[in-house]
Amino acid sequence: MEAVEWKQRVEKYKGIFTEPPKIVPTDKVVDSPVIGNGDLGVTISGKPEQQRIWISKNDFWKAQLMYSNGSPCLLGGIDVHIPDLANASYYSEQRLDEATIVSTFHGAAASVKMTSWISSLENVLIVELSSEKQAVSVTLDLWVQTGNGSETEQGQDGDTAWAVRKFTGEGIEWPTEGAIAMCSSSGSHSFELQPGTKQYIVASVVTNHDEYNYLQESISRAGLIDEKRIASLRSEHTDWWSGFWAKSAIEIGDELLEKFWYGSHYIMACCSRNKKFAPGLFGNWITTDNPEWAGDYHLNYNYQAPWWGVYSSNHIELSEPYDTPLLEYMVNGRRYAEEYLGCRGIYYDVGIGPKGLPTALCNTPYENGHMFLGQKSNSALSTVNMLMRFYYTYDLEYARFVYPFMIEVANFWEDYLTFEDGRYVIYRDAIHEVGTYTESHDNEDWDRGLEDMNPILSLALIRMLFKGLLDISGQLQLDGDRHEKWTHILEHISDYPTFEREGKTIFRLTEQGHEWWGDNTLAIQHIWPAGGIGLDSDPQLLQIAKDTITVLNRWTDYNGFPTIFTAAARVGYDPETILRELRRQCSEHSFPNLFIFFGGGGIECCSGVPSAINEMLLQSHEQVIKLFPVWPQEKAARFHNLRAVGAFLVSSELSEGKVTYIDLTSEKGRICSILNPWSNGEFSIIEKDGAGDQQREVEWQLSGNIISFNTEAGKSYRLLGH
């Protein structure tokens, strides 16, 4: 795909709104148009005559203990009053290509266009107003959320209005203070919008996590923005988003699925770029002080899931915030492991917050006043993303950064596993919240009653963890003396439990305890995201996996959207079924802003479409690149710069049932292995010179159906069948 082509593809996809949003404010996912720069988030609701701009930010947290006191909170917003638009028609576009909301309101008395965007590089909101028919009166009201133990202030500095909200003082673990400074190009907050002219509203948002003198900084930044500066910011903004969309692209002959593929990446780019503060369950579009489940970082899949699509989509930069809260919580995790379980390593609650904030403390006699919910797997599940990033990039600097976390997880499992009868066994690790237990208000009885043994997800995570540590420690030349133990665990960990259901052998959730959970996709999470089974697995195991998906039949699931479709692709389930059911979910469980919503969370659903489609087009987790491995062969498709394990960027096309080419760029110079897509065995490999003038054939080896060849870091290659 040439640059013009991919830009044209994303330009066609928009969120379209023909009536005002219905569920803002909300404690879950908004249904309104959204924009963001990865830290600052804005959504807009209301009728044409009163547009309400909601402003939130990833670092605006109330850091108070005890569930559900600690959570991200609403900062404030701006109301735009235009009385002449009463009874006007409503139309709004959320434009993905340039991260802009463009709204047009047509009424008998007035027609107004309102264009809103957030600078991709600064926490500044720009709103442009223009009138088509006649002069209209505009009044702006700046406000901040009140209550919930917060302090608020408002004032005026020259032409700039400002408002502050603070969470400080007794009971607050660390202070959060934020300011919004607003001004307009008219110099007033009440003005006449003349036809044929434009007026700008500028809002600068700064918190104490950005700047010590955050209020003064917000006022200063707002005052410096004039039309020349707006033009400069707009140019930088456009360039950033153009560069973002250039990183990867797909064309699959299905505009609905393409729209949600691009839309999911858009949402993640809008909410996940602040390296110090990761987005919570609902991103940076918080419209209440009481988001569901505290809006925190839920570690039994919800927190990890949003990023599962960005690695293979070549948007590694969006995963930068992911590790921060996990590493910040290690002090707590070490203490919990030692005090509560007598183990080394780290033991994490189901929910955590930024800066080491425990969000899952509760006034119960169970589990020492924490919500571990019987699960020992939260920290291991958190290494899934770390290992995805490592294998897709082979970035040794990153590996060295997260290695201490992974070692602590290994320390925990080395101590917690029981070796008996020639195998490693897991006791008292719940597959679900809270597992099977004896009802009792005695802590000792509670612990003894957690009967789940060998939960299937933990068995897969242990395999994933220790294999990953062997690979990473080998690359870093660390802990060679521990390899024997890790290898022994891998060779002797218990098998995945199975049982008979509906006449088929399928996976059982635990070896002892829960055998099945009819309304949840826990039975396939060992496939995805844990990566325990793939197309090269034992055929009998693959059949069990496919039969499990058939019996499960949970394409629509409260929690399962980020897992079921990609798991099905991983094991070669019928691609027509995957695409049909994925399309149905996108149609029936989505908002116009391209959020896919289910009961269990918000931005977690952003991985569902990208990870599933990417795995259908390209698989590589078994160290061999497979082109269109789970795709209807009669259905044309092509993709640009999807990322493969081994730090390869791959582009290819399927046309009339044949792979026409494979373009590949090697970032780390590793050996490349590709499943030969040309049945006649005739092909060539050309090293492409950067200037396009010189090319040379590359030597390759063919072992069975696997093409292997050496690559050089930074070099590009083209494979063609003959």
Side-chain angles (χ1 to χ4, degrees), residues 386-387 390 394-407 468-481 483 486 668 670:
M386 298 173 182
L387 287 167
F390 168 72
Y394 273 82
D395 182 341
L396 297 188
E397 183 178 350
Y398 173 75
R400 193 171 286 107
F401 175 63
V402 296
Y403 189 75
F405 181 92
M406 297 182 66
I407 281 293
L469 276 172
L470 285 169
D471 290 340
I472 291 177
S473 64
Q475 292 284 326
L476 300 178
Q477 298 184 342
L478 296 172
D479 294 317
D481 58 332
H483 286 193
W486 297 343
K668 300 296 181 181
R670 296 179 58 80

Side-chain angles (χ1 to χ4, degrees), residues 466-542:
F466 286 107
K467 179 186 180 300
L469 276 172
L470 285 169
D471 290 340
I472 291 177
S473 64
Q475 292 284 326
L476 300 178
Q477 298 184 342
L478 296 172
D479 294 317
D481 58 332
R482 302 184 66 171
H483 286 193
E484 182 178 355
K485 174 68 173 180
W486 297 343
T487 301
H488 192 264
I489 291 173
L490 284 171
E491 292 176 347
H492 296 86
I493 189 70
S494 295
D495 292 334
Y496 299 132
T498 61
F499 74 129
E500 298 296 316
R501 187 178 177 91
E502 298 182 15
K504 299 180 184 294
T505 299
I506 65 171
F507 291 117
R508 178 184 164 120
L509 296 186
T510 64
E511 184 175 329
Q512 171 185 299
H514 284 297
E515 63 178 22
W516 192 249
W517 209 291
D519 60 352
N520 205 297
T521 52
L522 288 163
I524 50 84
Q525 290 183 14
H526 63 297
I527 303 170
W528 176 265
I533 303 173
L535 294 176
D536 291 338
S537 295
D538 178 86
Q540 184 177 0
L541 201 61
L542 272 176

Side-chain angles (χ1 to χ4, degrees), residues 32-50:
S32 42
V34 296
I35 47 177
N37 65 0
D39 182 24
L40 184 64
V42 162
T43 191
I44 304 177
S45 68
K47 295 181 178 181
E49 65 267 29
Q50 183 178 329

Side-chain angles (χ1 to χ4, degrees), residues 106 122 190 319 338 444 621 648 670:
H106 295 293
E122 296 184 23
S190 182
S319 71
E338 181 179 359
E444 184 178 347
H621 67 284
F648 300 110
R670 296 179 58 80

Side-chain angles (χ1 to χ4, degrees), residues 6-17:
W6 54 251
K7 191 173 189 305
Q8 289 175 340
R9 294 213 67 74
V10 74
E11 278 178 353
K12 68 192 289 187
Y13 296 124
K14 305 170 184 178
I16 302 295
F17 304 77

Side-chain angles (χ1 to χ4, degrees), residues 15-18 33 51 90-94 101-105:
I16 302 295
F17 304 77
T18 57
Q51 288 286 279
Y90 180 100
Y91 180 81
S92 187
E93 292 183 352
Q94 175 184 292
I101 299 170
V102 180
S103 302
T104 52
F105 312 116

Side-chain angles (χ1 to χ4, degrees), residues 23-98:
I23 58 169
V24 181
T26 177
D27 58 2
K28 290 186 179 179
V29 173
V30 297
D31 66 341
S32 42
V34 296
I35 47 177
N37 65 0
D39 182 24
L40 184 64
V42 162
T43 191
I44 304 177
S45 68
K47 295 181 178 181
E49 65 267 29
Q50 183 178 329
Q51 288 286 279
R52 169 155 282 196
I53 300 171
W54 303 78
I55 298 174
S56 57
K57 200 166 176 292
N58 277 340
D59 61 5
F60 198 76
W61 273 70
K62 180 184 181 183
Q64 188 172 24
L65 300 180
M66 306 306 293
Y67 183 81
S68 57
N69 290 326
S71 72
C73 291
L74 171 64
L75 178 52
I78 301 168
D79 288 343
V80 182
H81 301 274
I82 308 177
D84 287 338
L85 290 179
N87 300 315
S89 64
Y90 180 100
Y91 180 81
S92 187
E93 292 183 352
Q94 175 184 292
R95 298 181 179 176
L96 305 188
D97 61 325
E98 54 187 17

